[in-house]
Structures are given as C-alpha cells and as structure tokens.
Amino acid sequence: MKLFDLSGEVAVVIGATGALGGAIAEGLAEAGAKVAIVGRNTDRGQARVKAVEARGGSAAFFSADALSRCSLIEVHEQVEARLGAPSILVNAAGGNDPKVTVTAEHPFEKIPLEAWQANFDLNLVGGVLLPCQEFGPAMCRRGRGSIINIASVSAHLPLSRVVSYSAAKAAVLNLSQFLAREWASQGVRVNTITPGFFPAEQNRKLLFKEDGSPSERTKAIWGHTPMNRFGEPQELTGAAVFLAAHKASSFVTGTDIRVDGGYLSQTI
Ligand SMILES: NC(=O)c1ccc[n+]([C@@H]2O[C@H](COP(=O)([O-])OP(=O)(O)OC[C@H]3O[C@@H](n4cnc5c(N)ncnc54)[C@H](OP(=O)(O)O)[C@@H]3O)[C@@H](O)[C@H]2O)c1
C-alpha cells in the first residue's frame, strides 16, 4: 500500500456540507476513500457528493444532527450498510454563533447562558464528543481507526469576541488528547487540525462587511498572518490525508497540525 493511499477505507466526514469539511471530504475521496458526507443540509450534501464524483471519487450523503446521539446511531448503521465499517472519522461540524459574539452592545457579562451553551455544545458536544462516543468504540473493537477533530487558532490563544467558541475549541484539543491516550492501545489514533482563517458561512459576518468588502477584523487577521491572506479550504486536505492514512501517520496520535499561514507563529 502506498504511503497516502486510502483505498478500501471508509471515511465519515461530519460537516462535509460546509466549506472546510467539504474540501476535506473531497481530498479523502481523491486519495481513495469511500466518503460519507454527513450534515443536515441535503442540498449542500448532494452537491458535495456530485463534486466528489466529478473528480472520480466515491461518496454518499447521510443526513444527521451531530447534537443527537440517536441521529448519529442511525447514520452509523446506514454508513456500515451502504459503504462499510468506517475507519476514518473527521469532525468538522461547528462554528461561531453570532448571537454569542461579544460586541459593545452585547458585552461579555451579558452573554445569555442558553446561547453560550448552544454554541459550546455545537463545537464540543456535537462537534467532537457525541461522534467520538458513537464511532470511536466500534473502531477500537476492530483495532483500527483515525479520528481527526477540527480545532481553531482560537483554541491556542483566544481571539477577541468569540469567547464561547474559543473555550469550546480549547476543550476540543484537550478532549482529543484524552482520547488519543485512551484509544492508542486499541489501534485508534486521535489528532486535531488547527485551521487558520478560511472564509466560510459560519464566519462570513465577522470577516466581511455587508457589501462584501473585508471587515476591519479581516484586515487585522491578514496583518497578523505571515502569509498575509486567508487559506483556501483545499489547503487543509494534505494534513487530513496524512492523518487519515494509517501507513503515513501510523505513530502519530495526540498531535495537532496547524494549517494557518503562520498565524500562531507571529509575534512582532
Ligand atoms: N472557516 C474557518 O476559518 C475556520 C477556522 C478554524 C476552525 N474552523 C472550524 O472548521 C469547522 C468547519 O467550519 P467551516 O468554516 O467549514 O464552516 P461552515 O461552512 O459553516 O460549515 C459548518 C458545518 O457544520 C455543520 N453543522 C452545524 N451544526 C450541525 C449539526 N447540529 N449537525 C451536523 N452538522 C452541523 C454544517 O452542516 P449542516 O448545516 O448541513 O448541518 C456545516 O457543514 C468548524 O468546526 C469550524 O469551527 C473553521
């Protein structure tokens, strides 16, 4: 088997209806995996399946709410029946909810608890915990698996304004390392990817003004990114294929790969 060959593998990508998960799903399919495109939005899911197939890959869409264990159980059964037992899980559902973004009108001390919890739940509970609870033990029983959780630069050093998102993403790193230690002896590796800044639906309001021009925050981000630009979603696929490929990353677990144009290396 070639170092980065994913032929014969079944990959579940939750959040593949979105920008980053979608690009990762296409990258895994191009490397040979059969990919389960998982999310709630059927139109975007089917469009992603077509995009995979147009590049010669194999994929199918499965509708699921990552915040519902019942929904994940159903999808797990459907994926096994249709594609086979998953050996790769990518957790890419998540994002910041504008309702909990700190602003002058909505300061930290006035964040409604319910909104905080909903955002925290999306990024930690649905984003990582429940999918790992559902898919991880089955991989352990088969003695083989690679789980890739999507963190954020905000997990390492909290960005302004997106406070509950940052706290949840910091917990994603911590939980991933916990699982890496727990499941290493059972052949399941757990790693994270830390993306820098990539325009997507969930961060559009923070990054662009209503007329589509870059916001002040975008200018600050570019100024702090040594490569002086946003990333393209496809630029995440190399890291994802590496972590997914059991031959290429067989001794890699509990680590984090930063794909951020140097953002976290910038000081002055
Ligand atoms: N874009 C960036 O700059 C950036 C940077 C760092 C980290 N990230 C992280 O990368 C991941 C992907 O985000 P993105 O930027 O690609 O945003 P996006 O395009 O808005 O995609 C977010 C995805 O999350 C899915 N999702 C949300 N709630 C869900 C639920 N309850 N059940 C199932 N799926 C759900 C959405 O799918 P449906 O709507 O179909 O359910 C969508 O596919 C997130 O974890 C985000 O925090 C992004």
Side-chain angles (χ1 to χ4, degrees):
M1 188 194 269
K2 289 190 184 147
L3 207 50
F4 297 101
D5 185 12
L6 299 182
S7 305
E9 309 288 353
V10 173
V12 172
V13 184
I14 304 179
T17 47
L20 305 196
I24 289 171
E26 288 188 31
L28 298 179
E30 198 173 330
K34 283 187 275 182
V35 180
I37 306 282
V38 181
R40 295 165 305 175
N41 188 305
T42 304
D43 289 347
R44 283 192 277 121
Q46 299 293 7
R48 192 61 74 174
V49 169
K50 285 204 178 107
V52 168
E53 288 172 347
R55 294 170 64 183
S58 171
F61 173 66
F62 300 87
S63 176
D65 180 356
L67 282 158
S68 156
R69 182 68 187 267
C70 292
S71 181
L72 292 169
I73 290 170
E74 270 176 34
V75 158
H76 194 173
E77 287 169 359
Q78 290 165 2
V79 171
E80 283 208 7
R82 194 158 161 197
L83 304 181
S87 54
I88 298 162
L89 169 66
V90 179
N91 283 314
N96 181 61
D97 183 342
K99 286 201 288 295
V100 274
T101 301
V102 171
T103 62
E105 302 78 51
H106 301 282
F108 169 75
E109 61 274 21
K110 291 194 178 156
I111 296 173
L113 185 56
E114 272 180 24
W116 169 286
Q117 280 176 335
N119 201 40
F120 207 87
D121 281 354
L122 170 60
N123 287 288
L124 181 63
V125 178
V128 174
L129 175 68
L130 295 180
C132 285
Q133 285 184 317
E134 178 52 34
F135 290 93
M139 290 180 183
C140 288
R141 281 195 292 280
R142 290 190 293 273
R144 193 159 174 280
S146 171
I147 298 176
I148 303 167
N149 297 323
I150 306 300
S152 160
V153 293
S154 214
H156 299 263
L157 205 54
L159 298 168
S160 61
R161 303 182 64 187
V162 291
V163 54
S164 67
Y165 175 77
S166 304
K169 289 294 189 179
V172 166
L173 287 183
N174 193 283
L175 176 57
S176 301
Q177 287 182 300
F178 171 86
L179 293 175
R181 188 196 60 229
E182 288 295 301
W183 290 343
S185 62
Q186 294 161 82
V188 175
R189 300 177 296 106
V190 184
N191 294 288
T192 51
I193 294 176
T194 284
F197 294 86
F198 297 73
E201 191 49 38
Q202 52 92 11
N203 56 14
R204 190 171 43 83
K205 282 192 179 149
L206 278 168
L207 299 180
F208 301 102
K209 296 182 193 164
E210 276 183 13
D211 64 6
S213 61
S215 65
E216 290 309 308
R217 191 173 180 85
T218 284
K219 290 177 194 161
I221 289 165
W222 289 342
H224 189 92
T225 302
M227 290 192 182
N228 195 31
R229 64 173 174 87
F230 287 136
E232 298 287 339
Q234 293 72 16
E235 292 181 296
L236 290 167
T237 60
V241 170
F242 166 68
L243 291 174
H246 299 291
K247 188 162 183 193
S249 56
S250 53
F251 199 47
V252 180
T253 197
T255 199
D256 177 56
I257 299 185
R258 298 172 178 180
V259 184
D260 68 350
Y263 184 90
L264 286 169
S265 303
Q266 175 81 298
T267 52
I268 54 171

